[in-house]
Amino acid sequence: MSARGRCARVLPSELNKVCPERGDEPATHPSMMSDFEVVPNLQQSSSSVSRSRRKAHFPAGSNEKENLISWIPENIRKKECTYFVESSQTSDSGRIVCECGYLREQHLDDAAKPPIFLGKEWDPSRHIQEMPTDAFGDIRFTGLGQKTGKYVRVSSDTPPRVIYHLMTQHWGLDPPNLLISVTGGAKNFVMKPRLKNIFRQGLVKVAQTTGAWIITGGSHAGVMKQVGEAVRDFMLSCSHKEGDIVTIGIATWGTVYNRESLVCPMGGFPAEYVLDEENQGSLSCLDSNHSHFILVDDGTHGKYGVEIPLRTRLEKFIAEQTKVKGGVAIKIPIVCVVLEGGPGTLDTIYNAITHGTPCVIVEGSGRVADVIAQVANLPVAQITIALIQSKLSVLFQDTYELFTESKLVEWTKKIQDIVRSQQLLTIFREGKYGQQDVDVAILQALFKASRNQDHFGRENWDHQLKLAVAWNRVDIARSEIFTDDHDWKPSDLHPVMAAALISNKPEFVKLFLEQGVRLKDFVTYTLVYLYDNLAPSCLFHSKLQKVLLGGGGSTRPASKVPRLQMHHVSQVLRELLGLLTQPLYPKPKQAERPRLSIPVPHIKLNVQGSSLRPLYKRSPGRVTFTMDPVRDLLIWAVVQNRRELAEIIWAQSQDCMAAALACSKILKELAKEEEDTDTTDDMLALAEEYEHKAIGVFTECYRKDEERAQKLLTRVSEAWGKTTCLQLALEAKNMNFVSHGGVQAFLTKVWWGKLSVDNGLWRVITCMLFFPLLYTNLITFSREKRLQPPMGCLARLRAFFTAPIVIFLMNTLSYFSFLLLFAYVLMVDFQPVPSWREYLIYFWLFSLVCEETRQLLYDPDGLGIVKMASLYIKDFWNKLDICAILVFIAGLTCRLTPSTLYPGRIILSLAFIIFCLRLMHIFTVSRTLGPKIIIVKRMMKDVFFFLFLLAVWVVSFGVAKQAILIHNEERVEWLFRGVIYHSYLTIFGQIPSYIDRVNFNIDQCSPNGTDPYKPKCPETHGDNNTPIFPEWLTVILLCLYLLFTNILLLNLLIAMFNYTFQQVQEHTDQIWKFQRHDLIQEYHGRPPAPPPLILLSHLQLLLRRGLLRQPATHHKLKEKLEKNEEAALLSWEMYLKESYLQHQQCQEKQNTEQMIRDIAQRVDVLAELLDLDRVKRTGVVEQRLGSLEDQVHQSAQALRWMMQVLRGNGFSSAEDVPPVGSSTALGTKELALEGRAEERQPPCHVLARNLLYPGSHILRFPVPDEKVPWEVDFPLYDPPAYSAEHKDMAVQDPFSLSLESLLKINYNTMDGLIDRQSFHGLYTVQDGLPLNPMGRTGLRGRGRLHCFGPNHALHPVVTRWRRNLDGSIIRKSLKKMLEVLVAQYPLSDVWALPGGSLEPGEMLPLKLKWILRREFWPQFQNLLKQGTEVHKGYLDDPRNTDNAWVETVAISVHFDTQHDLEMKRLNSFLQGCDPELCIRWQVLDKRIPLHANHKELLHKVSTLLGAYY
């Protein structure tokens, strides 16, 4: 405690003791600031704190901590007592304390020497001052792990906006989707174990699933301790990914035990806090399971309840904030959860209900909660003072004696008002049907309050749906929102559908699709908006930004960055899908209106103020044309790697196989560029999953119909860039799909062309060499096999030689002939002058060059020469062809020059080697050799990496050996031999002879290095020519070199080869089948004649394309179908996709693990039902016993009355007859009460007894229902007096209640211009004051009314029928619907009927005159005379008092036809009224947001007209 006296000024040495982490930094204190100076600092600090980093805790020494240290003292204050006044009370230790509760040494030094002007009496408003806070930072509870929370000491007058700014900007909390205020007993209490578990699990579940903040008192006792333990249990059982639960404790600084450890002017990071319950005494410790603490300081010590006003203001401020997430804005809802509790808890509940906050009362927790829960289902008239007294005597046994009679009256009145607001009150009962969990009860309470809230139109349904989406509670949406009570139009769900997509809530997307959302309408108006809201961490988002910035990656000003359009998305998608696909969203032409740009309005949906409909104003020209909306949404989900969302959307797709293969391709391309390894693994796993989906659908199709399934492979998909499924699979390298039996059967069919696949290869070769055999039965054609008419001679010849397999065999034979001829010329016939054989080779090569040129220029898809060249170069065999041709041309050039004849032959020999390597491409068609060639290609990569390692050892050993043995070798070629060549040969056993002295022979070397054919000799002794190098060293180096290269590196190479071989061997069949397609496609589009005869085909092609301008025939494996045929094919595919999905679901259910999970879940549900059944049966017995007790009590009362009557020889008044009880069980009564549509009207006024009088701070005397009539004796009744002064009114009664002024008033008659006559007849006047004919109100005087007695008013109810555009009347529940004229007056936030109080001598109310022009007043008076009077008498108004009340006349003015001249005239005069007024025709129903007494008038009008209400 002693630290508190020094907190205002701390020496550096003392600071080290309190905050050792801060070193010797001096404590600085900014100057005092008022609350109004906080706003600029809030704005400045918001720029210094990163909004994107939402971390609950930051490391010490970071920028965030420095910002916090500078920001908090400038914006947040504490309170200190500056004047010591001795108190009559003493501290717990018996020492003298100040009136504030602190000891003398805990005050400032100047507090004991007060100036004279302060006076002698202690006044908190003058003697407590604000100064910068000295307690904030991180709090760590000693001995309870490393969990760290946040805390701050604030003044009780701190603006809520400052605290909210601290929590969201500096503490890094995300704004909540829900605010849960938990209140109740502050002391420890006992709950049933089952109820405790249900409460804990439910509270944590609702907080964790909805992203809520939980606010409590923060101490380690009572309900706060229950909440803390619930959060603790959750954190111990959950994973780190589930996130923390924000639990905020708002406690009183002056009641916190050990608070001196939290004092640190420069911030505690962390401050160590000891939780010591044994020695806390009358104070309380903070709860260690809360994450944040706000400690409210009013400058006093030991005074509880200081935090309640600030907590109320903070909760109200947070509830007024709007949170925008996923394009949907919601007002943050708040709910109050009550456990146990005492008198303070009752006040909290009453204030919450009064302010419209829904409350959940947990029955069985004790005291106040049980009192309210036990009477909640009773009619308000049965909630009497005696009943409440009996409940309190049972539930407040220890403190019941403290309840005075006036306290009982107050409690009865408050409980009646609480129970009367059934729409805001929810009782959680253990075992009640539909409320097995507290989380469901909390969310249902919010929905019930929202559903019963007054509103215009349908905004509340939108509000509820947006809350459910924000909370991600699809179960609540299904059970509470999508019911028969409201019909949802698909277009109404578009904004929340967009929010669910952006927020990645797949279950809601599935729900909205079930509710009839049409994706075509939805995507048309939201696609660009969805791409605008991509997650910034998404790789696709960064690629899209590069496209918008021009691809250079340079930064541009935000104003110069072009607006996102769909052709920008198309550019990125084409990079991912491959160049063979056409743009999915073509760029609009400059002359056209950009249809593909969708500047969708920001879907910021204000829950309270607007409907969802106006946000989707659909104007032509601002929409997206899309041929497949499912494809668009699927791409949007896949590029963000959203597995569940993409799966739901893919299930809706029509071209599902192409969609799955395209998704696989996109994901694989994104995975190559993704830096995060976890995300990369997820993408690759999802890509594989989509490949399996495509295989599954194709398998179903292939089983049903092989030909139609093969059509799906080659069908040109307009939706996916005019590509095919087969092409997408090849681009994505989906080997599993390509190796599918159906795909291979199709490739085999293409490979054999029009020939039957049953023909043997030897038959084909035989007929190729002796083509007359074609006209025999040696070769069969597929047409003949299908029992079609036989082919003609030319047709058979053409069909045979155009088959790809025949073209391949002929080209193979031609290529072998070319190589044989080429080898013969090189080895036998290479003359200075080329022979005819050599010229034939040149001609042959020219035909090969022409064919390569044709392949390069062949562009059936219109991609352009540049893209075709890039695709051509990507193929390895094309690179090899180009290399061979270039080397051949280089050799030919040298060969034709006489001086370079021999080099030309050498170069041509090298070209022959490359041409021979080209043979491997031919062998890929073999099922045996094809995979081996692939293994060789893979091993070549291994060799490259191996050579890099080998080069290190070869060069290091070679240089060292050369430097040791040879001195100054200047010949470069011999340097290369000694360093590289000899070292390399040493690996294979050719050890140099001069490496040791034993095998050294000087005749094998040149002593001076002059012999060009001998290496230079090592240095020797001059006498005996023996080498002088250290033999031991060279031998050791040689042994080490051979050890690492011959044993280690070579075995490493063998291991690498073995791994590669095994890896390829495991997938040999798949790889061969995948590689096989390239060869088949090449020869499927190749001219039939082999080189050199292929020149004839080239000449024909040149004539056809160049001279005759005939379009090119597409030989690629594509087929464009007619629209009808394509639609039928896609429908068939979609049908089989559904079959595949059902089959997958069946397999999942049959899975052993899934079956075990299902059985465990069913056992849990069964156990829960059995437990609930036991609780229900126990409850039913208790209810029946209670009902029996009631009936016995009523029977006893009846018998007692009968005896009294018999004794008096006659009957008394009927009022003494006891009520006859019903034999209906209490449980049935409860269900009936909960299911009733409307409560019957109360027998007495209700609004006139609200405790807080409107427009003032006056509190009425509490008047329970039974004490309202004046005839009922109420000795305690002592209401306050209040009469407001109206400066703007010329006529008003005196606001003084002196008898002299009151005797001048004439009641029950015309008092001058004031009509003091009541519609209910004569009223009683007592002590010069009239008495309210309806009974007590709890307030004397005239309040805000102008006159004592009746204040007359006029309320015209102007209605018309609600009509469609065609003029027909709209009906609901078979009744016609009305529209009523309502107005909103200046300085008022509520709507009302156009009427009000009548001024003395006036015929129309002043408020009505504001609405109408003066020239229309006489006509409106005529309308009133023609109208129907629906009410005349007392009006239950909140302004009524015991001595002044409102009586009104309500007249119904109804326009039956839409062509009524008076209605048109009225509308014209309304349009020209005061612009500050708001007037509208509003649909009439029971939820129209008007004053409650006005709604009663509307009910009477609707009953009169037989209209819907």
Short mmCIF file of all heavy atoms in Angstrom, two decimals, residues 328-330 447 450 455-469 481 486-489 491-493 495-496 605-608 610-615:
data_model
loop_
_atom_site.label_atom_id
_atom_site.label_comp_id
_atom_site.label_asym_id
_atom_site.label_seq_id
_atom_site.Cartn_x
_atom_site.Cartn_y
_atom_site.Cartn_z
N VAL A 328 -20.54 -7.01 -44.70
CA VAL A 328 -21.78 -6.82 -43.95
C VAL A 328 -21.45 -6.07 -42.67
O VAL A 328 -20.52 -6.42 -41.95
CB VAL A 328 -22.44 -8.17 -43.63
CG1 VAL A 328 -23.58 -7.99 -42.65
CG2 VAL A 328 -22.95 -8.81 -44.90
N ALA A 329 -22.22 -5.03 -42.40
CA ALA A 329 -22.03 -4.24 -41.18
C ALA A 329 -23.13 -4.58 -40.19
O ALA A 329 -24.30 -4.61 -40.55
CB ALA A 329 -22.06 -2.75 -41.51
N ILE A 330 -22.73 -4.86 -38.95
CA ILE A 330 -23.72 -5.17 -37.91
C ILE A 330 -23.43 -4.30 -36.71
O ILE A 330 -22.29 -3.99 -36.39
CB ILE A 330 -23.67 -6.66 -37.50
CG1 ILE A 330 -22.31 -7.02 -36.89
CG2 ILE A 330 -24.03 -7.57 -38.64
CD1 ILE A 330 -22.26 -8.35 -36.20
N PHE A 447 -32.07 -13.41 -30.71
CA PHE A 447 -32.98 -13.46 -31.84
C PHE A 447 -34.41 -13.13 -31.41
O PHE A 447 -35.14 -12.47 -32.14
CB PHE A 447 -32.93 -14.84 -32.49
CG PHE A 447 -31.72 -15.04 -33.34
CD1 PHE A 447 -31.01 -16.22 -33.30
CD2 PHE A 447 -31.27 -14.05 -34.19
CE1 PHE A 447 -29.88 -16.41 -34.08
CE2 PHE A 447 -30.15 -14.23 -34.97
CZ PHE A 447 -29.46 -15.42 -34.91
N SER A 450 -34.60 -9.45 -31.04
CA SER A 450 -34.58 -8.79 -32.34
C SER A 450 -35.89 -8.99 -33.08
O SER A 450 -36.41 -8.09 -33.74
CB SER A 450 -33.42 -9.33 -33.18
OG SER A 450 -33.43 -8.81 -34.47
N HIS A 455 -40.05 -2.33 -35.82
CA HIS A 455 -39.26 -2.01 -37.01
C HIS A 455 -40.20 -1.67 -38.15
O HIS A 455 -41.39 -1.98 -38.13
CB HIS A 455 -38.37 -3.19 -37.41
CG HIS A 455 -39.16 -4.44 -37.71
ND1 HIS A 455 -39.63 -4.74 -38.96
CD2 HIS A 455 -39.56 -5.44 -36.90
CE1 HIS A 455 -40.30 -5.88 -38.91
NE2 HIS A 455 -40.26 -6.33 -37.68
N PHE A 456 -39.65 -1.03 -39.16
CA PHE A 456 -40.36 -0.78 -40.40
C PHE A 456 -40.02 -1.90 -41.37
O PHE A 456 -38.86 -2.09 -41.72
CB PHE A 456 -39.95 0.56 -41.01
CG PHE A 456 -40.59 1.75 -40.34
CD1 PHE A 456 -39.84 2.87 -40.03
CD2 PHE A 456 -41.94 1.73 -40.03
CE1 PHE A 456 -40.43 3.95 -39.42
CE2 PHE A 456 -42.53 2.82 -39.42
CZ PHE A 456 -41.77 3.93 -39.11
N GLY A 457 -40.98 -2.62 -41.85
CA GLY A 457 -40.75 -3.61 -42.90
C GLY A 457 -40.08 -4.86 -42.38
O GLY A 457 -40.51 -5.46 -41.41
N ARG A 458 -38.97 -5.25 -43.00
CA ARG A 458 -38.36 -6.55 -42.75
C ARG A 458 -36.91 -6.44 -42.29
O ARG A 458 -36.14 -7.37 -42.42
CB ARG A 458 -38.39 -7.37 -44.03
CG ARG A 458 -37.87 -6.62 -45.25
CD ARG A 458 -37.94 -7.46 -46.50
NE ARG A 458 -37.05 -8.58 -46.42
CZ ARG A 458 -35.74 -8.51 -46.66
NH1 ARG A 458 -35.19 -7.35 -46.97
NH2 ARG A 458 -35.00 -9.57 -46.59
N GLU A 459 -36.50 -5.28 -41.76
CA GLU A 459 -35.10 -5.11 -41.39
C GLU A 459 -34.65 -6.09 -40.30
O GLU A 459 -33.49 -6.49 -40.26
CB GLU A 459 -34.81 -3.67 -40.92
CG GLU A 459 -34.76 -2.65 -42.04
CD GLU A 459 -36.15 -2.10 -42.37
OE1 GLU A 459 -37.12 -2.67 -41.86
OE2 GLU A 459 -36.23 -1.13 -43.13
N ASN A 460 -35.56 -6.45 -39.40
CA ASN A 460 -35.15 -7.30 -38.29
C ASN A 460 -34.75 -8.69 -38.75
O ASN A 460 -33.88 -9.32 -38.18
CB ASN A 460 -36.27 -7.38 -37.25
CG ASN A 460 -36.17 -6.24 -36.27
OD1 ASN A 460 -35.55 -5.22 -36.55
ND2 ASN A 460 -36.77 -6.41 -35.12
N TRP A 461 -35.43 -9.20 -39.78
CA TRP A 461 -35.02 -10.50 -40.31
C TRP A 461 -33.61 -10.40 -40.89
O TRP A 461 -32.80 -11.31 -40.73
CB TRP A 461 -36.02 -10.96 -41.37
CG TRP A 461 -37.32 -11.38 -40.80
CD1 TRP A 461 -38.50 -10.69 -40.82
CD2 TRP A 461 -37.61 -12.59 -40.09
NE1 TRP A 461 -39.49 -11.39 -40.17
CE2 TRP A 461 -38.97 -12.57 -39.72
CE3 TRP A 461 -36.84 -13.70 -39.73
CZ2 TRP A 461 -39.57 -13.61 -39.02
CZ3 TRP A 461 -37.44 -14.73 -39.04
CH2 TRP A 461 -38.79 -14.68 -38.69
N ASP A 462 -33.35 -9.31 -41.59
CA ASP A 462 -32.00 -9.11 -42.12
C ASP A 462 -30.99 -9.03 -40.99
O ASP A 462 -29.89 -9.58 -41.07
CB ASP A 462 -31.94 -7.83 -42.96
CG ASP A 462 -32.91 -7.88 -44.13
OD1 ASP A 462 -33.24 -8.99 -44.56
OD2 ASP A 462 -33.34 -6.80 -44.58
N HIS A 463 -31.37 -8.32 -39.95
CA HIS A 463 -30.48 -8.17 -38.79
C HIS A 463 -30.15 -9.52 -38.20
O HIS A 463 -28.98 -9.84 -37.91
CB HIS A 463 -31.17 -7.27 -37.76
CG HIS A 463 -30.31 -6.99 -36.56
ND1 HIS A 463 -30.81 -6.55 -35.37
CD2 HIS A 463 -28.98 -7.10 -36.38
CE1 HIS A 463 -29.83 -6.40 -34.50
NE2 HIS A 463 -28.71 -6.72 -35.10
N GLN A 464 -31.14 -10.35 -38.00
CA GLN A 464 -30.91 -11.66 -37.41
C GLN A 464 -30.01 -12.52 -38.30
O GLN A 464 -29.11 -13.20 -37.80
CB GLN A 464 -32.25 -12.37 -37.19
CG GLN A 464 -33.16 -11.68 -36.18
CD GLN A 464 -34.52 -12.31 -36.14
OE1 GLN A 464 -34.66 -13.52 -36.21
NE2 GLN A 464 -35.55 -11.50 -36.03
N LEU A 465 -30.24 -12.47 -39.59
CA LEU A 465 -29.44 -13.27 -40.50
C LEU A 465 -27.99 -12.80 -40.51
O LEU A 465 -27.06 -13.61 -40.52
CB LEU A 465 -30.03 -13.21 -41.91
CG LEU A 465 -29.32 -14.07 -42.96
CD1 LEU A 465 -29.25 -15.52 -42.51
CD2 LEU A 465 -30.02 -13.97 -44.30
N LYS A 466 -27.80 -11.49 -40.49
CA LYS A 466 -26.43 -10.98 -40.48
C LYS A 466 -25.72 -11.31 -39.17
O LYS A 466 -24.52 -11.59 -39.16
CB LYS A 466 -26.44 -9.47 -40.72
CG LYS A 466 -26.71 -9.11 -42.18
CD LYS A 466 -26.68 -7.62 -42.40
CE LYS A 466 -27.96 -6.98 -41.96
NZ LYS A 466 -28.01 -5.55 -42.30
N LEU A 467 -26.46 -11.33 -38.08
CA LEU A 467 -25.87 -11.76 -36.82
C LEU A 467 -25.45 -13.23 -36.89
O LEU A 467 -24.35 -13.60 -36.44
CB LEU A 467 -26.86 -11.56 -35.68
CG LEU A 467 -27.13 -10.12 -35.23
CD1 LEU A 467 -28.17 -10.11 -34.13
CD2 LEU A 467 -25.86 -9.45 -34.75
N ALA A 468 -26.29 -14.05 -37.43
CA ALA A 468 -25.97 -15.48 -37.53
C ALA A 468 -24.74 -15.70 -38.41
O ALA A 468 -23.88 -16.54 -38.10
CB ALA A 468 -27.16 -16.25 -38.09
N VAL A 469 -24.63 -14.94 -39.50
CA VAL A 469 -23.46 -15.06 -40.37
C VAL A 469 -22.22 -14.58 -39.65
O VAL A 469 -21.15 -15.20 -39.72
CB VAL A 469 -23.68 -14.27 -41.68
CG1 VAL A 469 -22.41 -14.26 -42.52
CG2 VAL A 469 -24.82 -14.88 -42.48
N ILE A 481 -34.20 -18.67 -38.07
CA ILE A 481 -34.39 -17.65 -39.11
C ILE A 481 -35.13 -18.21 -40.32
O ILE A 481 -36.15 -17.67 -40.75
CB ILE A 481 -33.02 -17.06 -39.54
CG1 ILE A 481 -32.35 -16.40 -38.34
CG2 ILE A 481 -33.19 -16.06 -40.67
CD1 ILE A 481 -30.95 -15.91 -38.60
N HIS A 486 -41.24 -16.41 -42.17
CA HIS A 486 -40.80 -15.38 -43.12
C HIS A 486 -40.40 -16.05 -44.42
O HIS A 486 -39.71 -17.07 -44.42
CB HIS A 486 -39.63 -14.59 -42.53
CG HIS A 486 -39.14 -13.49 -43.44
ND1 HIS A 486 -39.87 -12.34 -43.67
CD2 HIS A 486 -38.02 -13.37 -44.17
CE1 HIS A 486 -39.20 -11.56 -44.50
NE2 HIS A 486 -38.08 -12.17 -44.81
N ASP A 487 -40.83 -15.46 -45.51
CA ASP A 487 -40.47 -15.96 -46.84
C ASP A 487 -39.30 -15.14 -47.36
O ASP A 487 -39.39 -13.92 -47.52
CB ASP A 487 -41.66 -15.84 -47.80
CG ASP A 487 -42.80 -16.76 -47.39
OD1 ASP A 487 -42.51 -17.82 -46.80
OD2 ASP A 487 -43.97 -16.39 -47.64
N TRP A 488 -38.21 -15.82 -47.65
CA TRP A 488 -37.01 -15.14 -48.15
C TRP A 488 -36.98 -15.21 -49.66
O TRP A 488 -37.15 -16.27 -50.25
CB TRP A 488 -35.76 -15.82 -47.59
CG TRP A 488 -35.54 -15.58 -46.14
CD1 TRP A 488 -35.98 -16.36 -45.11
CD2 TRP A 488 -34.84 -14.49 -45.54
NE1 TRP A 488 -35.60 -15.82 -43.91
CE2 TRP A 488 -34.88 -14.67 -44.15
CE3 TRP A 488 -34.17 -13.38 -46.05
CZ2 TRP A 488 -34.29 -13.79 -43.26
CZ3 TRP A 488 -33.57 -12.51 -45.17
CH2 TRP A 488 -33.64 -12.70 -43.80
N LYS A 489 -36.76 -14.06 -50.27
CA LYS A 489 -36.53 -14.03 -51.71
C LYS A 489 -35.06 -14.29 -51.96
O LYS A 489 -34.21 -13.84 -51.20
CB LYS A 489 -36.93 -12.67 -52.28
CG LYS A 489 -38.41 -12.36 -52.17
CD LYS A 489 -38.71 -10.99 -52.78
CE LYS A 489 -40.19 -10.68 -52.66
NZ LYS A 489 -40.51 -9.33 -53.21
N SER A 491 -33.02 -12.96 -53.98
CA SER A 491 -32.24 -11.72 -54.12
C SER A 491 -31.95 -11.08 -52.76
O SER A 491 -30.96 -10.36 -52.61
CB SER A 491 -32.99 -10.73 -55.01
OG SER A 491 -34.27 -10.44 -54.46
N ASP A 492 -32.80 -11.34 -51.77
CA ASP A 492 -32.56 -10.77 -50.43
C ASP A 492 -31.33 -11.39 -49.77
O ASP A 492 -30.76 -10.80 -48.86
CB ASP A 492 -33.78 -11.00 -49.53
CG ASP A 492 -35.01 -10.27 -50.05
OD1 ASP A 492 -34.84 -9.28 -50.80
OD2 ASP A 492 -36.14 -10.68 -49.73
N LEU A 493 -30.95 -12.57 -50.21
CA LEU A 493 -29.83 -13.28 -49.59
C LEU A 493 -28.49 -12.97 -50.26
O LEU A 493 -27.45 -13.44 -49.79
CB LEU A 493 -30.08 -14.79 -49.64
CG LEU A 493 -31.32 -15.28 -48.92
CD1 LEU A 493 -31.50 -16.77 -49.15
CD2 LEU A 493 -31.24 -14.99 -47.43
N PRO A 495 -26.52 -10.17 -50.45
CA PRO A 495 -25.46 -9.52 -49.64
C PRO A 495 -24.86 -10.45 -48.60
O PRO A 495 -23.65 -10.48 -48.41
CB PRO A 495 -26.19 -8.34 -49.00
CG PRO A 495 -27.35 -8.06 -49.90
CD PRO A 495 -27.78 -9.39 -50.40
N VAL A 496 -25.70 -11.21 -47.89
CA VAL A 496 -25.16 -12.12 -46.88
C VAL A 496 -24.45 -13.30 -47.53
O VAL A 496 -23.53 -13.88 -46.94
CB VAL A 496 -26.27 -12.60 -45.93
CG1 VAL A 496 -26.65 -11.52 -44.95
CG2 VAL A 496 -27.49 -13.06 -46.69
N LEU A 605 -23.80 -2.98 -44.88
CA LEU A 605 -25.21 -3.06 -44.55
C LEU A 605 -25.43 -2.59 -43.12
O LEU A 605 -25.07 -3.27 -42.17
CB LEU A 605 -25.69 -4.52 -44.70
CG LEU A 605 -25.40 -5.11 -46.07
CD1 LEU A 605 -25.90 -6.53 -46.11
CD2 LEU A 605 -26.01 -4.28 -47.15
N ASN A 606 -25.97 -1.41 -42.98
CA ASN A 606 -26.29 -0.91 -41.65
C ASN A 606 -27.49 -1.67 -41.13
O ASN A 606 -28.58 -1.59 -41.69
CB ASN A 606 -26.59 0.59 -41.72
CG ASN A 606 -26.67 1.20 -40.35
OD1 ASN A 606 -26.97 0.52 -39.37
ND2 ASN A 606 -26.40 2.48 -40.27
N VAL A 607 -27.27 -2.42 -40.08
CA VAL A 607 -28.32 -3.32 -39.60
C VAL A 607 -29.53 -2.54 -39.13
O VAL A 607 -30.66 -2.94 -39.35
CB VAL A 607 -27.75 -4.19 -38.45
CG1 VAL A 607 -28.85 -5.01 -37.84
CG2 VAL A 607 -26.67 -5.09 -38.99
N GLN A 608 -29.30 -1.42 -38.49
CA GLN A 608 -30.41 -0.73 -37.85
C GLN A 608 -31.18 0.15 -38.81
O GLN A 608 -32.35 0.38 -38.66
CB GLN A 608 -29.87 0.14 -36.69
CG GLN A 608 -29.14 -0.68 -35.64
CD GLN A 608 -30.05 -1.63 -34.91
OE1 GLN A 608 -31.24 -1.37 -34.80
NE2 GLN A 608 -29.52 -2.73 -34.44
N SER A 610 -31.21 0.46 -42.57
CA SER A 610 -31.57 0.31 -43.97
C SER A 610 -31.86 -1.14 -44.29
O SER A 610 -31.47 -2.04 -43.58
CB SER A 610 -30.42 0.81 -44.87
OG SER A 610 -29.30 0.01 -44.69
N SER A 611 -32.51 -1.32 -45.38
CA SER A 611 -32.83 -2.66 -45.85
C SER A 611 -31.74 -3.14 -46.77
O SER A 611 -30.91 -2.38 -47.24
CB SER A 611 -34.18 -2.64 -46.57
OG SER A 611 -34.43 -3.91 -47.14
N LEU A 612 -31.75 -4.45 -47.07
CA LEU A 612 -30.75 -5.00 -47.95
C LEU A 612 -31.06 -4.71 -49.41
O LEU A 612 -30.18 -4.74 -50.25
CB LEU A 612 -30.66 -6.53 -47.77
CG LEU A 612 -30.34 -7.03 -46.35
CD1 LEU A 612 -30.31 -8.54 -46.37
CD2 LEU A 612 -29.03 -6.48 -45.88
N ARG A 613 -32.30 -4.44 -49.73
CA ARG A 613 -32.68 -4.33 -51.15
C ARG A 613 -32.04 -3.16 -51.88
O ARG A 613 -31.56 -3.33 -52.99
CB ARG A 613 -34.20 -4.21 -51.25
CG ARG A 613 -34.93 -5.51 -50.92
CD ARG A 613 -36.42 -5.30 -50.94
NE ARG A 613 -37.14 -6.50 -50.58
CZ ARG A 613 -38.41 -6.51 -50.26
NH1 ARG A 613 -39.09 -5.38 -50.22
NH2 ARG A 613 -39.01 -7.63 -49.94
N PRO A 614 -32.00 -1.95 -51.32
CA PRO A 614 -31.48 -0.83 -52.11
C PRO A 614 -30.03 -0.99 -52.48
O PRO A 614 -29.56 -0.29 -53.37
CB PRO A 614 -31.66 0.38 -51.17
CG PRO A 614 -32.57 -0.07 -50.11
CD PRO A 614 -32.44 -1.53 -50.00
N LEU A 615 -29.30 -1.90 -51.83
CA LEU A 615 -27.89 -2.02 -52.12
C LEU A 615 -27.64 -2.77 -53.42
O LEU A 615 -26.52 -2.84 -53.87
CB LEU A 615 -27.21 -2.75 -50.96
CG LEU A 615 -27.32 -1.97 -49.65
CD1 LEU A 615 -26.98 -2.86 -48.50
CD2 LEU A 615 -26.43 -0.76 -49.67
#
